[in-house]
Amino acid sequence: MTRVPRMVAALLGAAALACALPPLRNRMEPGIDGYAVFAARSPESPGDLYATGAGGGAVIQLTFSLPMESGPVLSPDGLVIAFFRQRDAADSLGRQLRLLNLLNGREREVPLPKGMQAPSRLAWEGTRALLVRAEGFTWRASVPPEAPSWTRLDGSERVRADSAFLLAVGTPSFARVEPCAGGGICAVGVSGAPQVLHPTGHDPARWGRDSIAFFVDDRIVVRAVGPSRPRELKLDRAPREPTSLSFFPGTLRRRPNALEPD
């Protein structure tokens, strides 16, 4: 992975706004190949976005901004990343919600509504709506090209929406994966008793039909839920302190010639 000096990258990024390029060009085909995205630190940055293929290998830096970026979530079709941008880790009140289009490299801001305090988590509801958790509330908004119209959800509507933030595994779902009470990652099945999947793993993501992946230190580990042997993805020049793993499994279908999403 080639590193670009932070100030040079920021200047190049500003100059390229009008002619953005697909960040995965010549590496992967967005919406077709399988890949993971995550946020991580580097010597030059408090947080940028990165991608790697489903089998590991090369790590591709997707963003080169001066502020910190965090919480990336891939859309279900694998074409758009929703994420937060802020001055630093403590600036939760100043977070921006951004969308990065992997087909054309275009980035957009989705303005947050007045009254939303400290947004902390993102989830997709289909490919045209986003859910945001903020200070105990759940909000929904449409995404470009539609103008965002925010709604704070209540009652049964919120209960249904909050399921998008759960990491359910299996088809149909037979367990959920969540942080263990004492650290690490646990699976919770129908019995309600947690089963430790890894004592120090963090930031799990669904990885295909019945598997999950998570970080152990700076490594990505993949394992099936239930009795199984984990496997480690080898990453070339992995950045430091990775968080917020999100995965698109890929598809055998080729994308038709159609208008690119904004």
Side-chain angles (χ1 to χ4, degrees), residues 198 200 202 214-221 232-233 235 238-239 242:
H198 197 280
T200 62
H202 62 93
F214 48 88
F215 293 113
V216 178
D217 297 324
D218 294 344
R219 312 187 308 275
I220 296 178
V221 175
E232 182 179 321
L233 300 187
L235 303 180

Side-chain angles (χ1 to χ4, degrees), residues 47 75 79 81 85 99 101 162 181 194 202 224 245:
S75 60
L79 298 180
I81 305 173
R85 176 173 289 154
L99 300 177
N101 185 319
D162 282 351
H202 62 93
L245 185 64

Side-chain angles (χ1 to χ4, degrees), residues 56-112:
V59 175
I60 304 164
Q61 189 166 353
L62 301 176
T63 60
F64 299 83
S65 65
L66 291 173
M68 175 183 179
E69 292 156 349
S70 62
V73 182
L74 274 164
S75 60
D77 58 9
L79 298 180
V80 181
I81 305 173
F83 63 97
F84 292 120
R85 176 173 289 154
Q86 61 210 72
R87 289 175 297 180
D88 52 52
D91 184 29
S92 61
L93 296 178
R95 283 178 179 163
Q96 296 179 350
L97 172 54
R98 313 286 299 193
L99 300 177
L100 174 61
N101 185 319
L102 294 176
L103 285 177
N104 55 32
R106 185 180 304 154
E107 186 181 305
R108 291 192 177 192
E109 180 181 0
V110 179
L112 296 173

Side-chain angles (χ1 to χ4, degrees), residues 2 9 14 16 22 45 48 53 62 77-78 82 106 120 139 144 149 158 162 168 174 210 214 217 234 252 256 261:
T2 303
S45 168
D48 278 312
L62 301 176
D77 58 9
R106 185 180 304 154
S120 57
W139 300 71
S149 177
R158 175 182 171 176
D162 282 351
F174 60 82
D210 299 325
F214 48 88
D217 297 324
K234 294 184 178 180
L252 296 177

Side-chain angles (χ1 to χ4, degrees), residues 13-262:
L17 285 177
C19 53
L21 297 173
L24 296 177
R25 64 190 183 281
N26 303 325
R27 304 288 191 92
M28 304 172 204
E29 186 170 355
I32 301 298
D33 298 323
Y35 42 83
V37 301
F38 55 94
R41 295 170 58 87
S42 73
E44 298 85 15
S45 168
D48 278 312
L49 302 186
Y50 296 83
T52 190
V59 175
I60 304 164
Q61 189 166 353
L62 301 176
T63 60
F64 299 83
S65 65
L66 291 173
M68 175 183 179
E69 292 156 349
S70 62
V73 182
L74 274 164
S75 60
D77 58 9
L79 298 180
V80 181
I81 305 173
F83 63 97
F84 292 120
R85 176 173 289 154
Q86 61 210 72
R87 289 175 297 180
D88 52 52
D91 184 29
S92 61
L93 296 178
R95 283 178 179 163
Q96 296 179 350
L97 172 54
R98 313 286 299 193
L99 300 177
L100 174 61
N101 185 319
L102 294 176
L103 285 177
N104 55 32
R106 185 180 304 154
E107 186 181 305
R108 291 192 177 192
E109 180 181 0
V110 179
L112 296 173
K114 292 182 180 179
M116 179 183 288
Q117 297 293 320
S120 57
R121 294 189 64 190
L122 293 169
W124 286 87
E125 190 176 66
T127 59
R128 287 300 182 187
L130 275 172
L131 300 170
V132 180
R133 293 299 302 274
E135 290 290 298
F137 296 103
T138 301
W139 300 71
R140 179 197 289 130
S142 56
V143 297
E146 298 180 36
S149 177
W150 288 95
T151 302
R152 199 178 80 179
L153 305 179
D154 296 301
S156 61
E157 192 173 24
R158 175 182 171 176
V159 172
R160 287 193 300 271
D162 282 351
S163 65
F165 295 97
L166 298 177
L167 176 50
V169 291
T171 307
S173 173
F174 60 82
R176 70 180 188 273
V177 177
E178 59 187 34
C180 303
I185 299 172
C186 283
V188 181
V190 293
S191 69
Q195 171 195 354
V196 177
L197 298 178
H198 197 280
T200 62
H202 62 93
D203 292 83
R206 184 164 177 166
W207 198 273
R209 291 170 58 88
D210 299 325
S211 296
I212 63 166
F214 48 88
F215 293 113
V216 178
D217 297 324
D218 294 344
R219 312 187 308 275
I220 296 178
V221 175
V222 181
R223 62 159 293 173
V225 177
S228 63
R229 298 185 63 180
R231 61 186 177 90
E232 182 179 321
L233 300 187
K234 294 184 178 180
L235 303 180
D236 298 337
R237 293 190 178 184
R240 300 180 303 178
E241 302 177 30
T243 62
S244 304
L245 185 64
S246 183
F247 180 64
F248 175 71
T251 176
L252 296 177
R253 294 181 293 108
R254 309 310 294 176
R255 188 173 55 251
N257 292 326
L259 293 176
E260 295 180 346
D262 288 329

